[in-house]
């Protein structure tokens, strides 16, 4: 099975003039950007689920990929074969990290105990492969949405025994993440929401979810996990409405349950657009609220309107996202995970490389654009000028709470001058951004 990509040589950087479709044109991992290697800025990760678990099926058709490990009858043999292929891919692509759900790497057993044993066995396999290849784990997570037991939620389920089964999975997935040196642990509430309010106690479900996340944080400290706990916002799919709708909603939830200093967000581009926001908006919101952690880099199809998880190819949008991240100090424990999948018609092994190469080159080129924007700083200066009034003693006194409503009103009467608005210069700023691209 380890020869699945035998015909593909390790992917190398060949520069913008290269005509080789299996080479990087912009991702030069050792190139210095703002004093740090490009690889260390971007911290690329390959997702296990779309790349090696998805079989190409959709609601109207079955598996189009028919990868060899997906056709094996023995689930554990298939899991080990899948790990062989995955780490061969990681090594040849040259991304430094990967991410997984527990059920991506180890199959569900007939009983909870068997499921735990499967995961323990596969964690040993993954640990050996990490040691052999130098690969690192960006984050682990538990799949609390695929199995039918979770059709009414996991932490928000009306049955406490299913809540407990979810707790077991998260506990074991956190243990696995710790053992494998993972730098973060992610929770995605795919079924934490509702399909109809007719059978839902929303307040109780939110309290259950708040209690669950407090248990997760307590366990993190108990086992000595030093990484970051992340929530991945999404407004809908598979639920009609999910409680982690967007970054601002997650922040309000974290504040209510005393978790705003403990948990950050993993922002996905396609989830941002599904919530009616831009990727840039969600990143800016997380940075300003102090809960920015990591990102899932992908895109949706505006004509489809659902979570298509395509590889990113929009350089201007990616540049703005990375500009904000760099301006905010860059990643700490987080990174850029390709929660992306090739199309179901892309059935050849090399198609998996084309998707990742394209996404990595788009991100690398966008990083270089973001570097120019920061070094030039025209955009930052124009924004600074727009808010200059708030840096004056009067503006600072308002923000510091030294003036009440009546004092501010008296200031206006004493000044007795109408203040005229100034242009926001949106078109000039848009032209400025395009000039870097």
């Amino acid at each position: 099975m380890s020869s699945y990509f035998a015909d593909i040589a390790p992917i190398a950087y060949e520069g913008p003039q290269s005509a080789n479709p299996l080479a990087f044109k912009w991702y030069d991992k050792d190139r210095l950007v703002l004093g740090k290697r490009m690889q260390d800025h971007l911290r690329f990760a390959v997702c296990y689920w779309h790349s090696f678990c998805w079989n190409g099926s959709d609601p109207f058709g079955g598996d189009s990929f028919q990868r060899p490990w997906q056709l094996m009858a023995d689930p554990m043999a298939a899991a080990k074969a899948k790990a062989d292929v995955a780490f061969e891919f990681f090594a040849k692509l040259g991304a430094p990290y990967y991410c997984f759900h527990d059920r991506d790497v180890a199959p569900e057993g007939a009983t909870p105990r068997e499921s735990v044993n499967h995961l323990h066995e596969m964690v040993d396999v993954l640990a050996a492969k990490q040691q052999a290849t130098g690969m690192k784990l960006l984050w682990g997570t538990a799949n609390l949405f695929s199995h039918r037991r979770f059709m009414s939620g996991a932490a928000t389920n009306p049955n406490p025994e299913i809540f407990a089964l979810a707790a077991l999975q998260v506990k074991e997935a956190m243990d696995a993440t710790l053992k494998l040196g993972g730098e973060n642990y992610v929770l995605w509430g795919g079924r934490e929401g509702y399909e109809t309010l007719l059978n839902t106690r929303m307040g109780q479900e939110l309290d259950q979810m708040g209690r669950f996340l407090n248990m997760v944080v307590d366990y993190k400290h108990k086992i000595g996990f030093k990484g970051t706990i992340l929530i991945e916002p999404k407004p809908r799919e598979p639920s009609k409405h999910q409680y982690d709708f967007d970054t601002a909603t997650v922040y309000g939830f974290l504040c209510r349950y005393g978790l705003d200093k403990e948990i950050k967000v993993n922002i996905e581009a396609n989830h941002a657009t599904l919530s009616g926001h831009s990727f840039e908006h969600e990143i800016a919101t997380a940075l300003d609220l102090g809960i920015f952690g990591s990102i899932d880099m992908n895109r949706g199809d505006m004509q489809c309107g659902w979570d298509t998880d395509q590889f990113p190819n929009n350089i201007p949008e990616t540049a703005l996202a990375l500009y904000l991240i760099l301006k905010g100090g860059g990643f700490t424990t987080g990174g850029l995970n390709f929660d992306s999948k090739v199309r179901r018609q892309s059935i050849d092994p090399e198609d998996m490389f084309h998707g990742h190469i394209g996404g990595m080159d788009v991100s690398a080129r966008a990083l270089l654009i973001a570097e120019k924007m920061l070094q030039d700083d025209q955009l930052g200066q124009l924004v600074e000028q727009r808010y200059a009034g708030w840096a004056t003693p009067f503006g600072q006194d308002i923000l510091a709470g030294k003036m009440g409503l009546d004092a501010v009103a008296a200031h206006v009467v004493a000044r007795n001058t109408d203040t005229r608005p100034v242009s926001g210069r949106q078109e000039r700023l848009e032209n400025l951004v395009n000039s870097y691209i």
Side-chain angles (χ1 to χ4, degrees):
M1 192 63 64
S2 60
S3 63
Y4 187 70
F5 299 111
D7 295 335
I8 298 171
I11 309 304
Y13 170 74
E14 295 184 4
Q17 306 308 315
S18 174
N20 181 3
L22 290 172
F24 295 120
K25 295 176 176 59
W26 294 95
Y27 180 56
D28 181 1
K29 67 177 183 177
D30 293 320
R31 177 171 176 171
L32 291 181
V33 178
L34 299 174
K36 190 161 70 172
R37 291 195 315 156
M38 184 176 279
Q39 175 177 282
D40 298 329
H41 273 297
L42 296 169
R43 293 166 60 86
F44 286 130
V46 179
C47 77
Y48 217 93
W49 52 101
H50 288 325
S51 297
F52 307 103
C53 302
W54 186 50
N55 61 10
S57 63
D58 66 16
F60 302 98
D63 56 328
S64 61
F65 293 158
Q66 298 188 347
R67 314 285 194 202
W69 61 92
Q70 294 171 345
L71 304 177
M72 298 174 69
D74 182 341
M76 282 300 289
K80 292 173 182 178
K82 181 166 52 178
D84 288 343
V85 172
F87 278 83
E88 181 192 7
F89 181 85
F90 301 154
K92 288 191 172 183
L93 181 66
Y97 292 96
Y98 74 109
C99 303
F100 68 81
H101 298 84
D102 54 352
R103 299 299 185 246
D104 298 338
V105 297
E108 180 98 16
T111 65
R113 187 170 297 148
E114 186 177 47
S115 295
V116 168
N117 290 339
H118 284 172
L119 182 61
H120 289 182
E121 184 176 347
M122 285 307 302
V123 166
D124 289 341
V125 171
L126 298 179
K129 289 189 175 296
Q130 286 184 204
Q131 181 68 29
T133 61
M135 284 295 298
K136 295 177 287 186
L137 179 64
L138 186 65
W139 50 259
T141 187
N143 182 334
L144 303 179
F145 48 89
S146 292
H147 196 282
R148 68 189 299 271
R149 73 171 66 94
F150 298 127
M151 64 184 179
S152 299
T156 59
N157 199 282
N159 187 337
E161 294 296 342
I162 294 179
F163 177 104
L165 285 165
L168 171 64
Q169 268 192 248
V170 170
K171 181 262 183 193
E172 291 294 333
M174 291 180 73
D175 288 345
T177 301
L178 175 64
K179 183 171 181 177
L180 294 170
E183 299 185 23
N184 308 270
Y185 184 82
V186 171
L187 296 126
W188 178 60
R191 304 282 182 186
E192 312 294 20
Y194 64 80
E195 296 178 19
T196 175
L197 285 172
L198 295 175
N199 62 6
T200 302
R201 290 181 179 174
M202 189 188 302
Q204 178 173 328
E205 292 194 359
L206 288 169
D207 287 344
Q208 289 175 208
M209 190 171 170
R211 179 70 194 115
F212 193 94
L213 292 179
N214 269 283
M215 291 164 61
V216 168
V217 168
D218 289 345
Y219 189 68
K220 165 193 168 173
H221 295 302
K222 183 177 181 178
I223 63 175
F225 178 59
K226 303 302 182 185
T228 306
I229 304 295
L230 302 169
I231 288 179
E232 184 166 318
K234 189 178 184 182
R236 61 183 185 276
E237 289 186 356
S239 297
K240 173 182 175 180
H241 171 82
Q242 289 175 207
Y243 297 138
D244 51 3
F245 187 94
D246 60 6
T247 296
T249 304
V250 168
Y251 180 70
F253 176 89
L254 295 177
C255 289
R256 177 176 179 178
Y257 293 100
L259 296 164
D260 52 302
K261 305 301 182 187
E262 293 280 2
I263 297 178
K264 299 184 185 298
V265 288
N266 180 60
I267 300 168
E268 179 178 312
N270 204 169
H271 294 181
T273 52
L274 283 174
S275 66
H277 304 308
S278 66
F279 192 27
E280 177 190 2
H281 166 89
E282 286 290 89
I283 292 171
T285 301
L287 287 166
D288 288 343
L289 293 175
I291 58 170
F292 176 76
S294 194
I295 60 173
D296 279 0
M297 181 65 82
N298 60 19
R299 65 184 167 97
D301 187 318
M302 294 301 102
Q303 291 177 302
C304 292
W306 64 79
D307 194 4
T308 54
D309 289 323
Q310 294 170 247
F311 281 91
N313 65 359
N314 189 311
I315 294 170
E317 287 184 3
T318 307
L320 286 172
L322 292 177
Y323 168 77
L324 287 172
I325 292 170
L326 291 178
K327 197 173 179 67
F331 292 115
T332 53
T333 60
L336 193 160
N337 170 53
F338 287 112
D339 191 354
S340 310
K341 57 190 178 187
V342 296
R343 300 300 87 192
R344 73 187 303 266
Q345 298 177 54
S346 300
I347 60 176
D348 292 340
E350 70 177 50
D351 292 323
M352 296 172 64
F353 282 94
H354 291 312
H356 286 84
I357 290 168
M360 293 167 77
D361 267 347
V362 164
S363 301
R365 192 171 183 183
L367 181 70
L368 297 175
I369 293 168
E371 178 188 36
K372 290 180 185 177
M373 292 172 67
L374 280 170
Q375 289 175 329
D376 182 64
D377 201 33
Q378 286 191 60
L379 184 59
Q381 291 172 18
L382 289 168
V383 173
E384 191 75 22
Q385 291 171 17
R386 188 170 188 235
Y387 289 90
W390 287 99
T392 64
F394 174 60
Q396 290 295 295
D397 284 349
I398 294 174
L399 294 175
K402 295 179 179 179
M403 300 179 72
L405 188 66
D406 53 347
V408 174
H411 165 88
V412 174
V413 173
R415 188 165 179 261
N416 201 31
T417 301
D418 187 24
T419 300
R420 297 186 178 184
V422 297
S423 173
R425 296 175 176 172
Q426 178 176 334
E427 292 74 20
R428 176 183 173 182
L429 297 177
E430 291 170 343
N431 293 345
L432 174 61
V433 170
N434 282 338
S435 72
Y436 296 108
I437 300 165

